[in-house]
């Protein structure tokens, strides 16, 4: 359970003058699936990485449940992130990939077993727990990456283009699987994509970024209905 607040948050990369993300104001509700969308280079990943603690917040702040986390290291934030390339450990089995973060946190073994098996059931990975990533299809690897995030039972999920390595057909299937899973878990989620269809079909609300600036944030319905919206016109 968590709300996320970007309070005029900016990131200015060293050696640059123009903010990559410029005074972002955005309130993400508890349980919401918010999609950040926009063309390449508009600041989506930077926004996500600031929330994860992987980039500095140079001006403004980011709050989780009203608490300023801007200066907390990534490990002190109750956040799980799914990356575009999945970042699975190649030498570990699916089970161990999913259990790894829990082992680091000294979670008791029976609890680890329970959570991994529960996530594997949700993601249809029960048969693959003993395999290593190289023995999995692209879609299975993507599900392991999701599973690794789910077992943490974090306050917030972050996903950065998690479907971009899947073929078109699988991408469409996985879209609805992720949306259904998020609805079931009710975990506040920020999802980054440059794909407008993905944004409009998956997000409760969609935040449109351009050149580091937030253009608008609305439900997909309102975005479609707006006669002159920047979403359609922008890219
Ligand atoms: P997006 O995710 O929308 O493609 P990014 O957040 O990756 O956009 O990048 C936003 C802007 O910041 C771009 O202009 C990009 O070139 C720049 N940028 C990203 N990472 C760095 C970095 N490490 N150093 C300098 N500039 C960066
Ligand atoms: P390593 O070479 O790191 O010891 P493994 O012994 O796990 O890796 O894998 C040996 C081969 O068997 C690899 O080519 C891998 O793709 C395949 N493999 C591993 N686990 C499974 C599995 N559960 N089902 C099918 N093939 C597998």
């Amino acid at each position: 359970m968590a709300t996320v607040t970007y309070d005029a948050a900016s990131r200015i990369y060293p050696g640059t003058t123009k903010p990559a993300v410029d005074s972002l104001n955005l309130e993400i509700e508890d349980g919401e699936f918010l999609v950040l969308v926009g063309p390449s280079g508009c600041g989506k990943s930077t926004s996500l990485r600031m929330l994860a603690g992987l980039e500095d917040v140079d001006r403004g702040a980011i709050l989780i449940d009203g608490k300023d986390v801007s200066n907390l290291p990534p490990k002190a934030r109750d956040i799980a992130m799914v990356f575009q390339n999945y970042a699975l450990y190649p030498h570990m089995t699916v089970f161990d990939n999913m259990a790894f973060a829990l082992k680091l946190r000294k979670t008791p073994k029976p609890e680890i077993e329970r959570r991994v098996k529960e996530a594997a059931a949700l993601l249809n990975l029960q048969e693959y727990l003993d395999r290593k990533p190289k023995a999995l299809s692209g879609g299975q690897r993507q599900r392991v990456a999701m599973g690794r995030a789910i077992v943490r039972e974090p306050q917030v999920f972050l996903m950065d283009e998690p479907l971009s390595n899947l073929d078109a057909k699988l991408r469409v299937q996985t879209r609805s699987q992720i949306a259904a899973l998020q609805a079931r878990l009710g975990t506040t989620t920020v999802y980054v994509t440059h794909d407008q269809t993905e944004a409009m079909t998956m997000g409760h609300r969609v935040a449109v970024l351009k050149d580091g600036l937030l253009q608008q944030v609305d439900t997909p319905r309102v975005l479609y209905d707006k006669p002159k919206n920047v979403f359609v016109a922008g890219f």
Side-chain angles (χ1 to χ4, degrees):
M1 305 291 271
T3 60
V4 172
T5 309
Y6 286 86
D7 182 7
S10 299
R11 172 65 173 144
I12 304 153
Y13 284 106
T16 69
T17 48
K18 193 179 155 310
V21 175
D22 195 349
S23 305
L24 177 61
N25 285 303
L26 186 59
E27 182 94 28
I28 303 155
E29 292 164 29
D30 183 37
E32 183 171 27
F33 195 122
L34 183 109
V35 177
L36 279 177
V37 71
S40 177
C42 72
K44 303 182 295 293
S45 285
T46 303
S47 303
L48 204 66
R49 292 168 58 82
M50 284 196 288
L51 174 52
L54 302 172
E55 291 291 347
D56 290 344
V57 180
D58 294 311
R59 290 189 206 133
I62 295 180
L63 299 86
I64 297 179
D65 282 340
K67 180 172 173 262
D68 188 351
V69 297
S70 314
N71 298 311
L72 292 182
K75 278 186 183 143
R77 306 178 192 207
D78 192 6
I79 286 177
M81 187 154 169
V82 176
F83 297 91
Q84 179 172 352
N85 63 5
Y86 316 142
L88 302 179
Y89 303 110
H91 59 291
M92 289 185 200
T93 64
V94 168
F95 184 98
D96 289 338
N97 263 283
M98 283 166 57
F100 187 68
L102 299 178
K103 281 186 185 158
L104 282 187
R105 284 170 179 73
K106 309 253 187 288
T107 310
K109 224 172 162 186
E111 174 72 7
I112 294 179
E113 290 249 331
R114 186 187 66 76
R115 289 205 205 176
V116 170
K117 290 194 167 151
E118 209 172 277
L122 276 173
L123 291 159
N124 225 344
L125 287 169
Q126 297 105 314
E127 291 169 49
Y128 309 108
L129 287 172
D130 295 331
R131 290 204 194 179
K132 290 189 180 166
K134 66 186 173 190
L136 299 175
S137 70
Q140 289 162 350
R141 284 178 200 172
Q142 202 283 333
R143 299 211 298 281
V144 176
M146 291 291 300
R148 227 171 29 169
I150 286 174
V151 296
R152 297 253 319 268
E153 299 178 0
Q155 282 185 300
V156 182
F157 285 137
L158 304 182
M159 299 185 211
D160 195 350
E161 305 263 7
L163 306 185
S164 56
N165 283 321
L166 303 180
D167 65 43
K169 191 175 158 212
L170 196 55
R171 212 179 302 143
V172 173
Q173 280 174 17
T174 311
R175 259 190 225 154
S176 46
Q177 285 166 2
I178 291 179
L181 191 62
Q182 192 275 342
R184 177 159 173 181
L185 299 171
T187 309
T188 308
T189 299
V190 188
Y191 184 104
V192 160
T193 182
H194 66 273
D195 183 322
Q196 294 194 31
T197 314
E198 215 167 283
M200 296 300 250
T201 52
M202 295 180 77
H204 296 154
R205 284 189 308 153
V206 177
V208 185
L209 281 176
K210 194 178 171 192
D211 292 336
L213 293 164
L214 182 65
Q215 302 294 304
Q216 61 183 134
V217 49
D218 260 313
T219 61
R221 172 160 297 274
V222 171
L223 283 166
Y224 268 129
D225 289 348
K226 277 194 179 164
K228 274 195 174 176
N229 74 62
V230 291
F231 186 67
V232 175
F235 59 102

